[in-house]
Amino acid sequence: MKTCYSFLILLFFIGALYSQSTEDYFSRPGLKINAYHDACCGTAHPSSFTYTYKTTICGQNVLAFARNDGLSIIYLRIDDKKVYIADKYCNEKLFYDFGLSPGDTLKEGYYKDQNLILVNKHNVSLLNGEQRMKYDLMTGWGTAVSWIEGIGDINSGLLPEYDLEGYDVFVCANDTTGHLWINPDESDICDSLSCAAPRALFSLDRNDFSISFSNQSLFASHYKWNFGNGTVSYDKSPSYDYPEAGCYILSLTAYNECSSSVNENIQVLPLCLSKDWDTLRKIDFLSNFVLKRFSDHLQFIIKGYTLYKSADDGVSWQQLSLPLVPAGITRFITDLDMYDDLRGIAVCGHFGANS
């Protein structure tokens, strides 16, 4: 009974492994699809992508693929066997169609100008031993094109770039199970193109002068935080207590083992801290006002449609002149932001106006 039971479990595992959907294939952990584009005269740039995360755009589930050179992210939306390339503006076009039958022509989307005809499709063995479906197509002018589900174009790469003088070269594809497919003529650059440049990303929570950082960086293994006052940290997600009020420039630099220093990714965030208003100054000529504090030398008080400015940390205040309000209209300032000490923009609301 034990032997029979084990055999049944093994059959179920194998069936589950090789019955994945198109979306499952394209969202395999660690999936990297590597290629390069030769524009002209030996000038080439990487065209490699790493599956990064799932997200939602315009109410649709999409897969995010980051360019390994750190320049951008592309989004794939998968509907059964059809793969669409999408953007944040709700535009999309058909990218791959793994539901084609021999003799079918792809007349829309990304490949529409090539007039692709599916000649044959059949199972192939990947380098990790897995079985996938391979699609052999021909363009209208007789050029062979090959797709593998979950990898894309194994002649040109996941996202071919079309120009009059250039051409694309597929190099390799791999995931956490190992190599999936390799172009034997380009195998020596597979590892270098597989390296994804780090992206430094973080968020923070503030409790008075205590800041907790949440590191959300991609493709990074080492980090350097600069808190803007000479203090640094190499922890992944540190916390820091600022000793005094002030404006600080925070930066996070992310590194990994395979990327050179030119691929460091830095995110800078200005953070202004100040003491509570009541502990600084008391205003004896106003009540129920709104304070906008940009720094010690730039503060504003908003009271309806009246605006006061202080350049000496609230010791003295100057009422500013504002545009006249037409008769019969009540106007009030709802928010204020400053570009510098002299230029800013006020958001206003009003009563009694037609618009």
Side-chain angles (χ1 to χ4, degrees):
M1 289 298 293
K2 290 183 179 180
T3 302
C4 181
Y5 179 76
S6 300
F7 179 69
L8 289 174
I9 292 296
L10 179 61
L11 284 179
F12 174 79
F13 173 75
I14 292 175
L17 181 64
Y18 295 118
S19 63
Q20 298 184 63
S21 68
T22 301
E23 181 171 343
D24 292 334
Y25 286 140
F26 274 105
S27 57
R28 292 282 287 270
L31 176 63
K32 297 176 180 291
I33 303 168
N34 304 305
Y36 66 86
H37 180 77
D38 193 322
C40 174
C41 313
T43 303
H45 61 264
S47 181
S48 300
F49 296 87
T50 297
Y51 168 66
T52 307
Y53 54 83
K54 293 183 179 181
T55 187
T56 302
I57 293 179
C58 302
Q60 303 278 0
N61 295 325
V62 298
L63 308 180
F65 280 78
R67 287 188 65 107
N68 286 0
D69 55 16
L71 295 179
S72 61
I73 289 180
I74 65 169
Y75 301 98
L76 302 184
R77 185 181 74 83
I78 300 178
D79 182 7
D80 193 19
K81 292 289 186 178
K82 292 186 176 183
V83 180
Y84 296 85
I85 187 166
D87 63 31
K88 292 184 176 181
Y89 305 101
C90 305
N91 301 312
E92 64 179 27
K93 64 172 65 174
L94 183 63
F95 198 25
Y96 295 108
D97 187 351
F98 296 103
L100 295 175
S101 298
D104 288 347
T105 301
L106 192 61
K107 298 181 179 179
E108 61 175 309
Y110 195 82
Y111 290 91
K112 68 176 182 178
D113 294 332
Q114 297 190 46
N115 198 28
L116 288 181
I117 301 174
L118 182 62
V119 178
N120 186 30
K121 66 178 183 180
H122 54 92
N123 283 323
V124 293
S125 294
L126 304 186
L127 293 176
N128 66 351
E130 185 178 338
Q131 296 291 309
R132 293 275 181 93
M133 188 66 69
K134 182 172 178 287
Y135 297 74
D136 299 320
L137 306 101
M138 296 292 294
T139 67
W141 50 89
T143 303
V145 177
S146 295
W147 296 347
I148 291 181
E149 194 172 8
I151 297 176
D153 190 328
I154 58 171
N155 296 326
S156 301
L158 175 66
L159 184 61
E161 305 172 28
Y162 294 109
D163 60 57
L164 295 177
E165 297 179 330
Y167 57 91
D168 299 272
V169 179
F170 172 84
V171 175
C172 64
N174 46 61
D175 62 20
T176 54
T177 68
H179 288 300
L180 304 177
W181 199 269
I182 290 181
N183 180 347
D185 296 329
E186 306 288 343
S187 59
D188 57 324
I189 61 174
C190 179
D191 289 343
S192 62
L193 289 183
S194 296
C195 177
R199 290 161 167 82
L201 303 168
F202 67 90
S203 61
L204 59 85
D205 290 321
R206 174 186 169 187
N207 183 12
D208 292 329
F209 287 14
S210 297
I211 311 295
S212 297
F213 298 94
S214 175
N215 193 331
Q216 298 155 356
S217 299
L218 302 175
F219 316 124
S221 55
H222 305 288
Y223 312 94
K224 179 180 179 180
W225 297 84
N226 189 323
F227 300 118
N229 61 356
T231 306
V232 299
S233 173
Y234 298 93
D235 294 340
K236 181 178 180 180
S237 296
S239 297
Y240 183 67
D241 295 331
Y242 280 89
E244 59 184 357
C247 286
Y248 303 93
I249 301 298
L250 310 176
S251 66
L252 166 63
T253 306
Y255 308 85
N256 62 30
E257 289 79 2
C258 64
S259 181
S260 66
S261 59
V262 296
N263 286 328
E264 293 178 11
N265 211 340
I266 299 174
Q267 176 178 326
V268 179
L269 178 71
L271 174 67
C272 292
L273 301 176
S274 64
K275 300 175 184 177
D276 291 336
W277 173 253
D278 290 339
T279 65
L280 286 173
R281 297 283 181 267
K282 290 186 177 180
I283 302 299
D284 53 9
F285 61 90
L286 283 179
S287 61
N288 299 321
F289 56 84
V290 175
L291 172 71
K292 299 290 291 188
R293 180 184 178 87
F294 297 98
S295 67
D296 289 346
H297 67 272
L298 185 62
Q299 303 171 48
F300 294 87
I301 284 178
I302 300 171
K303 176 70 172 181
Y305 193 61
T306 306
L307 190 63
Y308 298 87
K309 177 182 177 181
S310 174
D312 53 11
D313 201 12
V315 175
S316 61
W317 294 90
Q318 174 192 4
Q319 184 173 347
L320 303 181
S321 298
L322 299 177
L324 293 177
V325 181
I329 295 177
T330 301
R331 182 170 294 165
F332 52 92
I333 300 173
T334 61
D335 200 4
L336 176 70
D337 201 0
M338 299 296 293
Y339 299 107
D340 54 34
D341 286 3
L342 299 177
R343 298 180 304 161
I345 185 168
V347 180
C348 296
H350 53 228
F351 299 106
N354 294 324
S355 62

